[in-house]
């Protein structure tokens, strides 16, 4: 969220200069190159590893070993069960029983994005989901996966997805083109929505935090201070909401591919 | 804008792939089956408990019905026994009373017969005494023996007019 090392630049200019985009900069912790491709371990990679490790440890350890599985769950276990039931409920409502085997991928997407967003709210943390390339890769996983599922399940009939029923024949060329464009824009809207929310939220927080410093807390800086506090709460909500929206949209796309338009 | 540094894309994508695939394996192989199993176990346990609670309730209801039936049966038996006893006692007392009455009537009749006999005897004695007295009186007053037949007639007349 905020980074302390704007101090050098600020000192050099003899005033407060805060670059709200500085927090998004990728820094290479361990430079690495494999086969001519830059595979450096960056701050983004560090936080993705933290997210993956935290999620794995929490979701496996909280439930306990097979012997001591309590009938009445502990608090940590309850959180894991709630996350499970939450995604299972979304999938049940949107996709139905046939989507059961895609539950792990949707759950992993949700947990990964949720924790990336939430950990990004910690001071000095980096938010991997504030980078378009990361969100676009995640959206591509959904888009390509869903398309492959649809083609494997329906074969050529998959194109029915682009031909809505009940449309006059002379309108079909136009409608189909629009349907194809809207289908192709799914990964873009999915990735830009998440990336833009993270980017805007963090930038706004940084801008208001900068106001506090430049105004001085007593000389009016308390106003942006309280605003930043409120904004932090809102950003936590957005962090959850965007992970939820991503999961829900993935489920809707999956449902389209599995059932086409026939229900 | 750091997001558009194309040189940073490759390391991000590579580490995203690594972390995301490892997380997916951990979730799909360990975490999710485990949580799903726990939830399933709990659901079965709760369903089982509800079933056994249902069964116990049904058994309790059956026991209650049986108890009520037994109670009603016992009450009916008690009524029957009471009525039977009452009838028997009433019949017995009626029989006793009738034998007693018969005995009393017999005694009464006997007593009346005896009274009649005694009265007849007494009447005869009275007749004899009256005749004797009359004869004595006539002899004393007239100085001669009285006609026995006339005296008998007179005494009979007197007695019949009295009684």
């Amino acid at each position: 969220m905020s980074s302390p090392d704007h101090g050098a630049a600020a000192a050099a200019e003899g005033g407060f200069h805060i670059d709200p985009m500085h927090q998004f900069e990728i820094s290479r912790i361990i430079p690495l190159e494999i086969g001519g491709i830059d595979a450096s371990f960056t701050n983004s990679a560090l936080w993705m590893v933290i997210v993956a490790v935290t999620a794995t440890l929490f979701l496996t350890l909280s439930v306990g070993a097979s012997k001591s599985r309590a009938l009445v769950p502990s608090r940590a276990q309850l959180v894991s069960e709630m996350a499970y039931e939450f995604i299972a409920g979304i999938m049940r409502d949107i996709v139905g029983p046939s989507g059961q085997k895609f539950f792990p991928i949707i759950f992993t997407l949700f947990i990964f994005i949720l924790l990336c967003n939430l950990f990004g709210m910690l001071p000095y943390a980096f938010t991997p989901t504030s980078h378009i390339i990361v969100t676009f890769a995640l959206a591509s996983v959904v888009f390509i996966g869903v398309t492959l599922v649809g083609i494997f399940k329906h074969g050529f009939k998959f194109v029915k997805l682009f031909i809505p029923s009940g449309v006059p024949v002379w309108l079909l060329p136009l409608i189909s083109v629009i349907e194809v464009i809207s289908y192709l824009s799914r990964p873009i809207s999915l990735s830009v929505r998440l990336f833009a929310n993270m980017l805007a939220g963090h930038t706004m927080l940084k801008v208001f935090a900068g106001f506090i410093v430049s105004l001085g807390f007593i000389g009016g800086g308390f106003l942006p201070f309280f605003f930043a506090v409120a904004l932090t709460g809102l950003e936590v909500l957005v962090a959850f909401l965007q992970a939820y929206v991503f999961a829900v949209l993935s489920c809707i796309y999956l449902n389209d591919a599995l059932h086409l338009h026939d229900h | 804008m750091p997001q558009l540094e194309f040189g940073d894309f490759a390391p991000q994508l590579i580490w995203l792939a690594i972390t995301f695939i490892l997380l997916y394996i951990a979730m799909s192989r360990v975490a999710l089956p485990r949580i799903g199993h726990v939830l399933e176990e709990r659901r079965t346990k709760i369903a089982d408990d509800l079933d056994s609670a249902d069964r116990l309730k049904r058994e309790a209801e059956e026991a209650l019905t049986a108890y009520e039936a037994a109670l009603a049966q016992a009450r009916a038996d008690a009524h029957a026994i009471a009525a039977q006893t009452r009838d028997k006692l009433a019949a017995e007392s009626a029989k006793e009373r009738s034998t007693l009455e018969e005995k009393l009537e017999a005694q009464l009749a006997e007593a009346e017969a005896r009274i009649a006999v005694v009265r007849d005897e007494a009447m005869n004695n009275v007749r004899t005494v009256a005749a004797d007295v009359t004869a004595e009186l006539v002899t004393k007053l007239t100085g001669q023996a009285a006609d026995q037949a006339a005296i008998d007639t007179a005494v009979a007349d007197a007695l019949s007019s009295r009684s």
Side-chain angles (χ1 to χ4, degrees), chain B:
Chain B
M1 199 168 171
Q3 279 84 351
L4 299 178
E5 287 284 340
F6 295 108
D8 291 341
F9 280 9
Q12 288 190 77
L13 284 176
I14 286 167
W15 285 96
L16 172 67
I18 293 170
T19 52
F20 191 80
I21 289 168
L22 288 179
L23 183 65
Y24 176 75
I25 291 169
M27 293 294 109
S28 60
R29 291 289 148 86
V30 188
L32 294 179
R34 202 185 267 191
I35 299 172
H37 186 74
V38 167
L39 291 174
E40 190 54 42
E41 231 168 42
R42 186 174 309 145
R43 210 167 288 140
T44 0
K45 174 91 176 94
I46 288 171
D48 283 357
D49 284 1
L50 282 179
D51 277 357
S52 58
D54 217 35
R55 207 187 56 240
L56 289 176
K57 192 181 162 217
R58 220 167 27 243
E59 277 171 12
E61 271 167 5
E62 273 164 18
L64 186 67
T65 340
Y67 163 76
E68 272 169 1
L71 196 66
Q73 182 64 44
R75 199 172 286 144
D77 285 356
H79 268 300
I81 289 169
Q84 217 178 334
T85 312
R86 203 165 47 229
D87 288 354
K88 213 171 82 189
L89 288 179
E92 264 172 22
S93 71
K95 214 172 83 188
E96 240 166 53
R97 199 171 55 224
S98 69
T99 49
L100 197 62
E101 274 171 0
E102 272 170 25
K103 217 162 82 184
L104 285 175
E105 251 162 47
Q107 280 177 357
L108 200 63
E110 202 186 327
E112 270 172 3
R114 215 167 41 235
I115 286 167
V117 169
V118 169
R119 201 177 54 200
D120 283 359
E121 265 174 26
M123 274 315 211
N124 282 339
N125 287 348
V126 165
R127 191 184 301 263
T128 321
V129 167
D132 286 355
V133 167
T134 309
E136 204 69 29
L137 275 174
V138 169
T139 313
K140 286 277 186 190
L141 288 173
T142 61
Q144 62 183 33
D147 182 11
Q148 194 60 43
I151 287 170
D152 281 348
T153 316
V155 168
D157 277 356
L159 280 175
S160 61
S161 68
R162 281 286 247 357
S163 61

Side-chain angles (χ1 to χ4, degrees), chain A residues 133-182:
Chain A
I133 185 65
V134 172
T135 61
F136 188 75
L138 291 171
S140 301
V141 168
V142 173
F143 178 75
I144 295 168
V146 157
T147 308
L148 289 178
V149 164
I151 290 171
F152 275 126
K153 188 160 173 19
H154 301 288
F156 187 70
K157 279 203 296 183
F158 185 61
V159 296
K160 263 172 65 182
L161 194 59
F162 308 114
I163 306 169
S165 53
V167 173
V169 178
W170 59 271
L171 259 178
L172 264 183
L174 182 65
I175 295 288
S176 296
V177 167
I178 292 172
E179 287 280 335
V180 169
I181 291 171
S182 91

